[in-house]
């Protein structure tokens, strides 16, 4: 498979190149040159397969030329072996035509594990073929750091350093990062806030000599490998609900637009998805766009569903590229204008075409708590503040008669405060994390100072020579 940039000025690459590069050199996002197609018979043949086998079949066309299907299957088996549910992505019925697709049975209890667990193996595989080592550095306000750490823990050719703001993450979030037993993981508690952490990471990447010396890399959310790894679960769920003979709808709690874009990719590959419902919290740029062609940037406000607190959805550029007929020059111009003006100009006919498939939905914090209570009392289904927005969207916006697959993106135990507010008690951690509060934490404290952080990263990289 070849990959092209949405902005048309970066070299085409194969899968391995895209995996390691992340962002394209022209600032665009990589997309497959064409979408692989599965016929109805080919889809039907996937029904009933264990999840890792189905995942390997769906992802194989994207990695073709870089990774064989047998290698990919072995990686999928390893990636999902540590999940706490035999089905990996169980589909739970919540109402007559409403199903929660639980994507949170991985090590960090959130859907990021679905992609990152596999991406860790893909990185390791490609790096060992090339005889390269990378050092991943990242900043986290809580959620993404643990998923990245769990993804690469104990991988030989990768070190990872995650900066978190000291005292400003929840205790569960911090412990999920600092209790991972792996000698390639360095956690740094920075005396500062999340913005300081992010600035320090940016500064390390901007420090060319340091960046080259350390071969710095990132596991960012715009890597196409992550999108590819999110397609199979939609196929899995839809097949269980009667596809390809029966159409389905999907409802997805959305932040950066990566998860719902993967559902749209599944449709390009032949899965009959009739409707895509984009569910947001009060940070509703996508809902405003879908309701009124108003894609204008507003200040991000904190909500009960922090992983959806975004000002701009970076993966939307991929959908735009498609609906502009893959016109990279026009995509580049639209994105450049958006960057300078804070408002995206999308022609009415393009907007209408998007609207035919996509619908927006929004829920504020108060309604979110009410919906948690409702699904708990009506169906004994305890949903976290992200997942419940998807469930409510699915119930309120479903096309008549179609089953809706609502992506459940986090385990309720990850957000005990909100759950307690809604239903009066705190959900217990699942068994594999029940001793989280007793585990030993390992982290290093540092001031919000570039030289101090770079010294820590360098010493960590050289730790074996010094030993
Ligand atoms: C990341 C995340 C989302 C948003 O997913 P996108 O792919 O960025 O749209 C939703 N819910 C949870 C719990 C997440 O961690």
């Amino acid at each position: 498979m070849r990959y092209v940039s949405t902005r048309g000025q970066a070299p085409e690459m194969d899968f391995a190149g895209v995996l390691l590069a992340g962002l394209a050199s022209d600032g665009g996002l990589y997309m497959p040159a064409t979408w692989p197609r599965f016929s109805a018979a080919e889809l039907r043949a996937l029904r009933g397969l264990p999840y890792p086998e189905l995942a390997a079949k769906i992802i194989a066309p994207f990695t073709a030329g870089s990774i064989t299907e047998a290698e990919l299957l072995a990686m999928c088996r390893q990636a999902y072996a540590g999940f706490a549910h035999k089905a990996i992505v169980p589909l739970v019925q919540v109402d007559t035509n409403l199903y929660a697709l639980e994507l949170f049975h991985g090590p960090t209890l959130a859907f990021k594990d679905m992609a990152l667990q596999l991406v860790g193996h893909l990185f390791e595989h490609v790096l060992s073929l090339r005889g390269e080592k990378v050092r991943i550095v990242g900043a986290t306000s809580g959620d993404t750091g643990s998923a990245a750490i769990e993804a690469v823990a104990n991988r030989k050719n990768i070190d990872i350093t995650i900066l978190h703001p000291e005292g400003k993450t929840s205790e569960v979030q911090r412990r999920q990062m600092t209790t991972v037993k792996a000698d390639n993981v360095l956690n740094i508690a920075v005396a500062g806030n999340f913005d300081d952490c992010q600035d320090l990471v940016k500064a390390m990447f901007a420090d060319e000599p340091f960046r080259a010396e350390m071969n710095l890399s990132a596991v960012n959310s715009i890597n196409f490998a992550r999108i590819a790894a999110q397609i199979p679960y939609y196929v899995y769920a839809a097949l269980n609900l009667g596809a390809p003979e029966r159409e389905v709808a999907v409802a997805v709690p959305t932040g950066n637009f990566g998860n719902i874009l993967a559902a749209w990719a599944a449709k390009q590959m032949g899965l009959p998805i009739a409707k895509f419902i984009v569910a947001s919290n009060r940070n509703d740029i996508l809902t405003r766009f879908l309701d009124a062609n108003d894609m204008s940037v507003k200040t991000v406000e904190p909500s009960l569903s922090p992983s959806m607190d975004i000002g701009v959805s970076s993966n939307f550029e991929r959908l735009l590229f498609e609906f502009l007929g893959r016109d990279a020059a026009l995509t580049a111009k639209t994105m450049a204008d958006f960057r300078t003006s804070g408002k995206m100009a999308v022609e009415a006919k393009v907007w209408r075409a998007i609207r035919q498939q996509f619908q927006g939905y929004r829920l504020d914090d108060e309604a979110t708590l009410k919906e948690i209570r409702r699904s708990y009392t009506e169906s004994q289904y305890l949903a976290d503040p992200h997942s419940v927005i998807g469930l409510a969207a699915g119930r309120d916006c479903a096309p008549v008669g179609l089953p809706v697959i609502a992506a459940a993106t986090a385990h309720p135990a990850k957000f005990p405060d909100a759950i307690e507010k809604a239903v009066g008690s705190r959900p217990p951690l699942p068994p594999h994390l029940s001793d989280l509060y007793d585990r030993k934490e390992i982290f290093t404290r540092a001031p919000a100072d570039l030289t101090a952080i770079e010294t820590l990263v360098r010493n960590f990289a050289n730790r074996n020579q010094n030993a």
Side-chain angles (χ1 to χ4, degrees):
M1 175 69 76
R2 304 294 298 169
Y3 289 83
V4 299
S5 166
T6 51
R7 300 193 191 174
Q9 300 295 312
E12 284 192 16
M13 283 191 176
D14 64 5
F15 179 80
V18 166
L19 178 73
L20 297 182
L23 197 69
S25 59
D26 58 1
L29 309 185
Y30 276 111
M31 286 286 268
T34 55
W35 290 107
R37 279 299 285 194
F38 285 69
S39 67
E42 287 167 328
L43 284 173
R44 228 174 279 125
L46 302 176
R47 204 184 267 156
L49 286 183
Y51 186 76
E53 288 179 35
L54 179 144
K57 294 248 188 256
I58 296 293
I59 299 168
F62 295 106
T63 61
S66 297
I67 295 169
T68 68
E69 194 171 325
E71 291 166 335
L72 185 64
L73 176 58
M75 284 186 261
C76 287
R77 286 193 171 130
Q78 287 178 317
Y80 300 115
F83 277 52
H85 197 295
K86 212 58 226 261
I88 314 297
V89 286
L91 190 63
V92 179
Q93 187 162 17
V94 178
D95 201 342
T96 305
N97 276 320
L98 185 60
Y99 298 82
L101 175 59
E102 295 187 342
L103 305 175
F104 52 69
H105 294 286
T108 74
L109 308 181
F111 105 97
K112 302 286 188 298
D113 291 332
M114 292 305 305
L116 283 171
Q117 283 293 313
L118 181 60
V119 166
H121 288 279
L122 292 168
F123 252 82
E124 179 74 4
H125 180 84
V126 168
L127 288 169
S128 67
L129 285 180
R130 295 185 175 198
E132 278 181 42
K133 258 181 182 291
V134 294
R135 306 217 153 68
I136 291 171
V137 293
T140 188
S141 56
D143 226 29
T144 50
S146 57
I149 288 172
E150 288 283 1
V152 304
N154 295 313
R155 302 272 90 84
K156 277 201 306 288
N157 299 306
I158 310 171
D159 276 355
I160 184 165
T161 300
I162 296 291
L163 313 187
H164 70 266
E166 182 164 17
K168 297 200 171 66
T169 61
S170 77
E171 183 169 9
V172 175
Q173 288 174 329
R174 188 191 71 239
R175 285 182 167 272
Q176 282 193 311
M177 295 189 282
T178 58
T179 62
V180 173
K181 277 202 201 114
D183 62 11
N184 65 331
V185 175
L186 174 64
N187 277 291
I188 304 181
V190 175
N193 57 29
F194 173 59
D195 287 338
D196 297 326
C197 295
Q198 219 166 19
D199 289 346
L200 286 162
V201 169
K202 278 190 200 145
M204 279 189 269
F205 275 98
D207 180 350
E208 273 300 339
F210 181 77
R211 176 183 182 155
E213 179 195 345
M214 293 287 117
N215 201 18
L216 288 193
S217 180
V219 280
N220 42 37
S221 66
I222 45 74
N223 199 309
F224 187 80
R226 283 176 67 169
I227 305 287
Q230 291 168 178
I231 301 170
Y233 48 74
Y234 290 107
V235 178
Y236 180 88
L239 289 176
N240 273 304
L241 293 173
E245 284 74 23
R246 185 187 189 202
E247 285 193 317
V248 299
V250 299
V252 183
T254 295
N256 259 327
F257 208 76
N259 201 0
I260 198 158
L261 188 90
W264 189 82
K267 181 176 170 117
Q268 308 321 300
M269 295 170 74
L271 200 68
I273 303 178
K275 196 92 191 168
F276 300 86
I277 306 162
V278 183
S280 310
N281 60 31
R282 65 202 289 187
N283 299 292
D284 62 350
I285 183 167
L286 292 166
T287 315
R288 285 183 281 118
F289 170 72
L290 290 167
D291 284 354
N293 198 0
D294 169 23
M295 178 85 85
S296 58
V297 181
K298 287 192 182 165
T299 327
V300 178
E301 293 180 41
S303 76
L304 291 175
S305 42
S307 299
M308 292 150 70
D309 290 346
I310 49 93
V312 175
S313 298
S314 40
N315 278 301
F316 184 80
E317 179 169 342
R318 292 192 152 112
L319 193 78
L320 181 71
F321 175 67
E322 292 283 357
F323 278 85
L324 293 178
R326 294 198 155 217
D327 181 337
L330 184 53
T331 307
K333 184 181 179 315
T334 306
M335 293 309 296
D337 291 347
F338 181 46
R339 213 194 149 97
T340 47
S341 70
K343 185 166 179 2
M344 190 181 291
V346 177
E347 242 188 283
K349 89 171 184 301
V350 173
W351 175 71
R352 276 197 300 272
I354 294 175
R355 274 250 305 197
Q356 272 185 359
Q357 295 185 37
F358 287 83
Q359 182 170 352
Y361 187 81
R362 153 190 42 215
L363 221 55
D364 65 18
D365 280 357
E366 199 184 325
T368 299
L369 291 175
K370 231 166 94 185
E371 289 295 335
I372 293 174
R373 205 170 308 130
R374 182 219 282 254
S375 84
Y376 189 57
T377 49
E378 291 182 352
S379 308
Q380 292 84 54
Y381 191 77
L382 191 57
D384 96 290
H386 301 79
S387 308
V388 84
I389 299 181
L391 284 170
R395 189 198 55 224
D396 290 352
C397 308
V400 176
L402 288 196
V404 184
I405 298 164
T409 53
H411 192 290
K414 233 179 154 164
F415 298 93
D417 297 336
I419 298 293
E420 186 170 27
K421 254 192 209 156
V423 304
S425 61
R426 298 172 81 79
L429 282 166
H432 66 291
L433 280 174
S434 57
D435 64 342
L436 185 67
Y437 287 92
D438 307 320
R439 291 183 196 166
K440 187 170 149 41
E441 288 192 79
I442 302 175
F443 62 93
T444 306
R445 289 195 177 81
D449 172 75
L450 183 61
T451 310
I453 303 287
E454 287 188 345
T455 302
L456 285 172
V457 173
R458 185 182 287 112
N459 288 347
F460 186 64
N462 296 329
R463 66 197 177 280
N464 293 329
Q465 281 104 297
N466 296 346

